[in-house]
Amino acid sequence: MEMDALLAKVLEVHGGLENWAKVTGLTAKLSLDGPFWDGVGWPDIRKQQTLTVDARQERSTLSPFVGAESTAVFEGDPAQVRILDAAGREVERRDDPLTSFPEYTLETKWDRAHVAYFTGTANWNYFVEPFLFTYPGVEAHEIEPWQEGGETWRRLAVTFPSNLPNHNPEQVFYYDDKFLLRRMDYAPDITASTPIAHYVYDPKVVDGFVFYGRRLVHLRDSDGIADRSWAPIVITTDGVEVHRG
């Protein structure tokens, strides 16, 4: 099947599919912030952490995890989270973690495995995109453009298969005239499908690849308009290292 023309340009600008084929993984310094974490009961996640990402399969680690000398390990196929102590011993494990989430309300609290799943699947997808859009089972095609702030952004509609856990299967990605990502829309299954407009800023080139230094997660209405007056989640990346085979 011929690749979507917009996706081909996006891949080229972000480092090229041929170059990405040589990448085995990434390491990033990541900081999480925003009132969402207080709401689900985990304010201790506010610290700089080290994220490692496997470029070929949905696997990531985050350390130190939620205020302790521990590491969260997330794997997507089959879905599983593990918590390791400072010595690398497994102290907690949950298979098929998506099914363990409680019904989401503003009063909902999560346990450590819930946080590990949410941060693991989200950040793996963020760092592997847009190359992820070419992985087996993922479908991407251009849809109608979007006008915002006096600019026209082209959009990719992306569908993820069930063996690649993500916020939800159907998402939309917005690109400017330089083919850089500006926004992504999704509706996480684990937060009652709340409509999200996730904006990205501060693109930086590292070892030939584009990564985004700051992400602000906002709510959006039924017309797609984001409430940018506040951000429930803020993600800051302070550095990325690319690993090649």
Side-chain angles (χ1 to χ4, degrees):
M1 181 182 296
E2 185 175 351
M3 181 180 294
D4 180 275
L6 174 56
L7 175 57
K9 289 297 297 184
V10 167
L11 293 170
E12 177 185 343
V13 166
H14 283 76
L17 197 56
E18 183 176 346
N19 289 333
W20 182 255
K22 303 171 186 176
V23 175
T24 58
L26 307 168
T27 301
K29 296 297 184 182
L30 198 72
S31 298
L32 303 174
D33 203 349
F36 175 82
W37 305 108
D38 300 274
V40 296
W42 291 97
D44 285 348
I45 204 162
R46 287 189 180 89
K47 62 166 65 178
Q48 187 179 78
Q49 301 176 71
T50 298
L51 172 75
T52 69
V53 168
D54 187 317
R56 298 291 140 224
Q57 57 184 331
E58 192 164 11
R59 186 180 191 278
S60 65
T61 68
L62 196 61
S63 177
F65 183 62
V66 289
E69 292 184 2
S70 59
T71 298
V73 180
F74 164 73
E75 298 186 36
D77 189 16
Q80 176 192 99
V81 294
R82 294 183 295 131
I83 309 297
L84 311 180
D85 65 15
R89 295 181 294 256
E90 182 179 298
V91 295
E92 188 174 345
R93 170 176 171 164
R94 184 168 300 167
D95 297 321
D96 196 15
L98 181 59
T99 61
S100 73
F101 278 85
E103 182 178 357
Y104 184 78
T105 70
L106 293 178
E107 289 72 43
T108 299
K109 304 302 179 187
W110 286 353
D111 62 25
R112 285 203 306 175
H114 294 141
V115 178
Y117 177 85
F118 183 64
T119 56
T121 184
N123 286 302
W124 185 84
N125 280 274
Y126 300 158
F127 278 89
V128 179
E129 293 160 358
F131 305 102
L132 172 60
F133 303 160
T134 67
Y135 286 17
V138 182
E139 300 177 3
H141 66 277
E142 187 170 7
I143 58 175
E144 69 279 1
W146 174 265
Q147 304 291 327
E148 184 165 334
E151 300 181 22
T152 299
W153 295 345
R154 294 172 67 178
R155 301 194 295 172
L156 276 176
V158 181
T159 302
F160 297 96
S162 59
N163 66 330
L164 282 175
N166 207 313
H167 289 301
N168 64 288
E170 306 287 338
Q171 301 184 27
V172 178
F173 296 77
Y174 299 61
Y175 297 92
D176 63 18
D177 58 1
K178 297 179 180 178
F179 303 101
L180 293 173
L181 181 65
R182 300 294 295 275
R183 167 178 163 174
M184 48 197 289
D185 288 357
Y186 48 83
D189 296 326
I190 60 178
T191 57
S193 299
T194 303
I196 295 297
H198 173 142
Y199 287 75
V200 300
Y201 305 91
D202 192 21
K204 295 179 179 178
V205 177
V206 179
D207 202 5
F209 298 99
V210 175
F211 300 99
Y212 296 90
R214 189 162 175 83
R215 296 170 175 270
L216 299 181
V217 175
H218 304 286
L219 304 181
R220 60 181 164 89
D221 64 20
S222 59
D223 294 321
I225 306 302
D227 177 5
R228 299 175 72 174
S229 65
W230 73 294
I233 296 176
V234 178
I235 306 172
T236 303
T237 302
D238 297 314
V240 179
E241 182 180 354
V242 177
H243 307 291
R244 301 175 185 269

